[in-house]
Amino acid sequence: MDITCRTPILVLSGNSHPELTKLICQRLDVPIANCSVLHNTSRETQVEIKQTVRARDVYIVQTGTKNVNDDIMELLILAYACKTSCARSIIGVIPYLPYCKQSKMRKRGCVVSRLLADMIQKSGFTQLITMDLRYKEIQGFYSFPVDNLRASSYLIQYIRESIPDYRNSVIVSKNANSVKRASSYAERLQLPLAVIHGEEKLAEHDTDDGRTSPPLVDSGTESITSLHVGSRITHIDVHNLPVLIPKEKPPLHVVGDVGGKIAIVVDDLIDEVESYVSVAELLHDCGAYKVFVVATHGLLSKDAPQLIQDSYIDEVSLLYFFY
């Protein structure tokens, strides 16, 4: 008989959110594993697991907060300590996966989310449990299962039970990227949908990174290049290549009717709130008499609480708040 199959799970906790680990262990009726995660004077992370993890299923509870880089190192070192101590499986419970916003190539940057995925896999994890990934495609960066839990059912229940006269509401998408999420809420709540289009000010032009510049031509070379395609010859003047036209978006405006209604802005993550403040002001000017913001994760960086208090936002509801 395999005795290890009857061995209870072990739940380890980093320093990002110990209260969440306590709630999880209370619900599962298991103790928190005895381990210490410390930072020495040089800010290096040191981990000591004070009980055996051999042949155990280990769950590591850690999430992204404002000290995101410390959170990541704690997560990786905890997992690697379990791996080298012969844990049977290592499952990461990460409600907010750090760097999930950097999952696409931006100009001459890089896909940081893919780099983090490689680091997590090398550290020894066998599975991740997270919630409301900003982009589902992030799951493809991993070679093991990534369970992306949905918070929409809880937030929809909150809207129904806690917002008076929610039937006179309209679901608002803060930008075009959030339309799919907002439309899902609107369909389940049987409410109309409005979309914020445009931007408050012009974004950084593509010309800033030099991609619209014509290729350099040496002074000693000809400016006419010949391309041989089959039996045809095409001459291209490299000095007269067309220049890409920078994208320009119109000013912020509302697509949809919000007059005399409660506007409910839904999103997955609230970090810097300046854009939400601008959207709330626009919705107020268009006739919405209340503005609610509902999201899964809340970082609320910088002076976000004060900005929210001074804005037209009546209430911000978060399923999970980081501090």
Side-chain angles (χ1 to χ4, degrees):
M1 181 181 295
D2 186 8
I3 298 178
T4 61
C5 291
R6 297 179 297 170
T7 304
I9 64 174
L10 287 180
V11 180
L12 302 179
S13 175
N15 293 324
S16 64
H17 207 320
E19 293 82 4
L20 175 62
T21 308
K22 291 179 183 178
L23 292 173
I24 292 174
C25 290
Q26 289 175 5
R27 185 65 180 265
L28 296 175
D29 195 22
V30 296
I32 301 176
N34 189 8
C35 74
S36 61
V37 182
L38 304 174
H39 298 276
N40 60 22
T41 54
S42 63
R43 297 303 299 166
E44 289 185 357
T45 302
Q46 294 181 338
V47 169
E48 181 182 359
I49 301 176
K50 301 178 181 179
Q51 63 186 93
T52 181
V53 297
R54 182 180 296 274
R56 302 283 188 94
D57 296 320
V58 180
Y59 290 79
I60 301 176
V61 182
Q62 182 80 329
T63 190
T65 63
K66 296 178 183 178
N67 300 318
V68 60
N69 295 321
D70 287 341
D71 299 332
I72 290 173
M73 289 308 301
E74 290 179 9
L75 178 72
L76 298 177
I77 296 174
L78 276 169
Y80 191 67
C82 294
K83 176 183 177 181
T84 55
S85 299
C86 302
R88 178 167 57 184
S89 63
I90 306 171
I91 300 97
V93 181
I94 313 174
Y96 171 61
L97 187 64
Y99 288 101
C100 64
K101 293 194 291 185
Q102 299 188 51
S103 60
K104 295 183 179 181
M105 181 66 75
R106 302 292 183 187
K107 295 187 178 180
R108 288 194 171 94
C110 62
V111 183
V112 183
S113 186
R114 174 57 191 271
L115 171 63
L116 179 61
D118 291 341
M119 294 166 63
I120 288 176
Q121 291 176 120
K122 289 291 185 181
S123 65
F125 279 101
T126 58
Q127 183 180 352
L128 288 187
I129 301 174
T130 185
M131 181 175 289
D132 272 356
L133 284 173
R134 192 171 188 85
Y135 303 105
K136 294 181 180 179
E137 295 80 3
I138 294 176
Q139 294 172 281
F141 295 159
Y142 297 83
S143 59
F144 54 72
V146 177
D147 294 325
N148 183 28
L149 306 181
R150 290 299 180 190
S152 57
S153 58
Y154 299 99
L155 296 176
I156 287 173
Q157 181 181 0
Y158 173 83
I159 291 173
R160 286 173 172 163
E161 296 178 355
S162 302
I163 297 181
D165 194 23
Y166 85 92
R167 286 294 183 186
N168 187 34
S169 302
V170 56
I171 302 297
V172 179
S173 173
K174 187 171 71 75
N175 51 47
N177 296 328
S178 303
V179 169
K180 186 175 181 180
R181 178 181 294 104
S183 62
S184 175
Y185 279 79
E187 291 170 1
R188 296 183 185 184
L189 290 167
Q190 297 181 350
L191 296 175
L193 175 69
V195 180
I196 305 298
H197 184 254
E199 54 187 19
E200 189 174 7
K201 59 182 179 180
L202 292 179
E204 187 178 343
H205 290 326
D206 289 337
T207 53
D208 291 343
D209 67 354
R211 289 185 298 173
T212 58
S213 303
L216 297 176
V217 180
D218 294 336
S219 58
T221 60
E222 296 291 336
S223 61
I224 302 296
T225 302
S226 297
L227 298 179
H228 296 264
V229 182
S231 59
R232 296 175 298 173
I233 299 178
T234 302
H235 297 283
I236 301 176
D237 185 355
V238 297
H239 285 303
N240 296 318
L241 289 176
V243 178
L244 294 177
I245 301 175
K247 295 183 293 185
E248 295 186 6
K249 293 184 178 180
L252 282 179
H253 64 280
V254 180
V255 180
D257 181 21
V258 298
K261 296 183 179 181
I262 301 172
I264 304 175
V265 183
V266 297
D267 211 343
D268 61 329
L269 170 68
I270 299 179
D271 188 2
E272 297 178 356
V273 299
E274 286 82 358
S275 60
Y276 294 91
V277 171
S278 300
V279 166
E281 183 177 358
L282 176 64
L283 293 170
H284 179 269
D285 293 341
C286 291
Y289 70 92
K290 281 188 178 181
V291 178
F292 290 81
V293 178
V294 178
T296 306
H297 310 294
L299 287 176
L300 302 183
S301 302
K302 298 181 180 178
D303 52 352
Q306 185 62 43
L307 289 175
I308 292 173
Q309 187 173 356
D310 297 338
S311 70
Y312 287 103
I313 300 175
D314 294 278
E315 182 178 309
V316 176
S317 302
L318 302 170
L319 183 67
Y320 198 82
F321 174 62
F322 313 98
Y323 51 88

